[in-house]
Amino acid sequence: MNKSHAGPSWRRLALLGVMALSLGGCASLKGPGSPGQKLDPWENWNRKVFGFNEKIDENVLKPVATAYSEVVPAPARLGVDNFFGNVADAWSAVNLFLQGRLKTGVLQTMRFAVNTTLGFGGVLDIGTEVGLERHSEDLGKTFGRWGTGTGAYIVWPLLGPSSVRDSFALPFDRRASPALLLDSGNAQFGITVLQAVNARSNFLRAGEMLDGIALDKYTFIRDAYLTRRGSFEEDGGDEYEVISPEPPSDPQAGR
């Protein structure tokens, strides 16, 4: 998962940097002055759904992800992470072409081809090693590229933060997920669960840190999401930082 998948080599430095930025940003993310508030007309409902999702995460997803990170060896988790990221790379390439970014689209396609062929289906990230960096894109960003505004902020049950624009794009983005490329119902369910658990395991330590420093977790996540989706580009939104997922690592490291 991308894309986002966000090695132990940089994790401690990254967490320290995020902590410093977050401590300074939480105060400004709290209260009526929060830039995301004007894009959150359904805040009362969204907070209820957010609370529901938090309960599901606390009682189901986080414990399973914790067990996964402790039981599955780090190299195996990294391979799973790379595989999901490689599938996302293919969809990113499609969206880069749809956005008219042809050169970057070609490079992203080359990255997908290299990792699929030489990286055993994407289990190994050969592309990064040869200088083909990941450019993560989706249909929501493509809509934004062609002038569609983010629209109101929405929190969906189980799926989490979104917006009106990204919600319209979501069914198409979901069609590009590894699970829906399979015909077997059992295989689809297994891949979906593995993808969710793997993604959550990447956020374990960052999530614990966020729980400890955010004055209002809902507001922090909302504004971070809207910033990442380009909602505040005209309002100086790049002062906010999004907590990045951690790459799979050995739970025994550093002990």
Side-chain angles (χ1 to χ4, degrees):
M1 309 201 41
N2 4 12
K3 54 183 193 331
S4 44
H5 295 330
S9 59
W10 58 266
R11 183 178 61 208
R12 292 179 178 85
L13 290 176
L15 290 177
L16 287 174
V18 168
M19 180 176 292
L21 289 165
S22 301
L23 286 172
C26 280
S28 59
L29 289 172
K30 172 79 172 176
S34 169
Q37 192 167 47
K38 61 185 179 182
L39 292 176
D40 194 5
W42 307 311
E43 181 173 352
N44 289 337
W45 170 255
N46 284 337
R47 283 186 178 272
K48 292 177 181 178
V49 178
F50 177 80
F52 169 78
N53 288 344
E54 286 287 283
K55 290 295 183 182
I56 296 295
D57 180 70
E58 179 182 355
N59 294 298
V60 180
L61 191 53
K62 184 178 178 180
V64 174
T66 301
Y68 170 80
S69 66
E70 292 176 347
V71 172
V72 179
R77 285 185 281 122
L78 181 58
V80 170
D81 208 53
N82 288 339
F83 170 77
F84 287 128
N86 189 54
V87 175
D89 282 346
W91 184 233
S92 293
V94 171
N95 280 281
L96 285 164
F97 285 121
L98 292 176
Q99 293 172 17
R101 301 164 62 186
L102 302 184
K103 180 179 178 180
T104 309
V106 169
L107 292 175
Q108 184 75 3
T109 301
M110 291 174 59
R111 174 186 169 85
F112 171 73
V114 167
N115 282 342
T116 300
T117 56
L118 303 181
F120 302 100
V123 174
L124 300 179
D125 185 3
I126 305 298
T128 297
E129 295 182 9
V130 299
L132 295 170
E133 298 297 329
R134 170 171 289 141
H135 298 272
S136 298
E137 299 292 333
D138 53 47
L139 192 58
K141 289 185 179 181
T142 299
F143 288 160
R145 175 81 172 183
W146 295 110
T148 304
T150 308
Y153 179 69
I154 306 172
V155 182
W156 291 109
L158 303 180
L159 299 178
S162 188
S163 67
V164 171
R165 182 190 72 193
D166 292 346
S167 294
F168 279 109
L170 185 60
F172 300 95
D173 289 331
R174 290 290 298 166
R175 291 301 304 174
S177 68
L180 295 184
L181 297 177
L182 302 174
D183 294 329
S184 170
N186 291 334
Q188 284 185 356
F189 178 76
I191 291 293
T192 300
V193 170
L194 178 59
Q195 189 172 10
V197 171
N198 176 73
R200 183 62 181 89
S201 70
N202 289 336
F203 281 96
L204 284 173
R205 294 195 179 183
E208 291 172 357
M209 183 191 67
L210 179 58
D211 289 336
I213 66 175
L215 300 178
D216 182 355
K217 188 175 180 180
Y218 169 85
T219 303
F220 186 96
I221 291 177
R222 178 192 66 194
D223 285 10
Y225 176 84
L226 292 173
T227 299
R228 182 169 61 87
R229 302 304 292 180
S231 304
F232 305 144
E233 287 180 353
E234 298 179 358
D235 298 321
D238 46 0
E239 66 181 283
Y240 300 97
E241 286 290 326
V242 182
I243 292 182
S244 299
E246 301 165 8
S249 58
D250 189 341
Q252 301 297 323
R255 294 187 183 179

